[in-house]
Amino acid sequence: MHMYHSRKRPLDDTPLEMTPVWSCSNENCKGWMRDNFSLSVAPVCPQCHSVMVKGERNLIALANTSHNQIKQ
């Protein structure tokens, strides 16, 4: 049996910031995504295909460096 030891920083050291997100409008679905990872101006939920609404969450700071960020 092998033990896995993570080298990641503890969450206490990770900076949080208010981040624009899209959240699923279906109250029975917990789907959400960061706005800067969305490929659409008005995305649909990838889990249940409902309309998503814009909001904010206090999340770990991440940068999306993908060139696929073209929003239509």
Side-chain angles (χ1 to χ4, degrees), residues 25-61:
S25 62
N26 179 348
E27 63 185 38
N28 297 317
C29 180
K30 295 182 182 188
W32 67 275
M33 69 180 79
R34 291 171 185 262
D35 180 52
N36 66 340
F37 282 77
S38 168
L39 298 176
S40 169
V41 174
V44 295
C45 179
Q47 296 176 11
C48 74
H49 307 289
S50 295
V51 174
M52 298 190 89
V53 292
K54 200 154 194 170
E56 286 189 325
R57 288 185 182 212
N58 199 20
L59 301 173
I60 294 171

Side-chain angles (χ1 to χ4, degrees), residues 4 6-10:
Y4 174 76
S6 176
R7 294 182 186 175
K8 294 181 182 179
R9 295 185 308 184

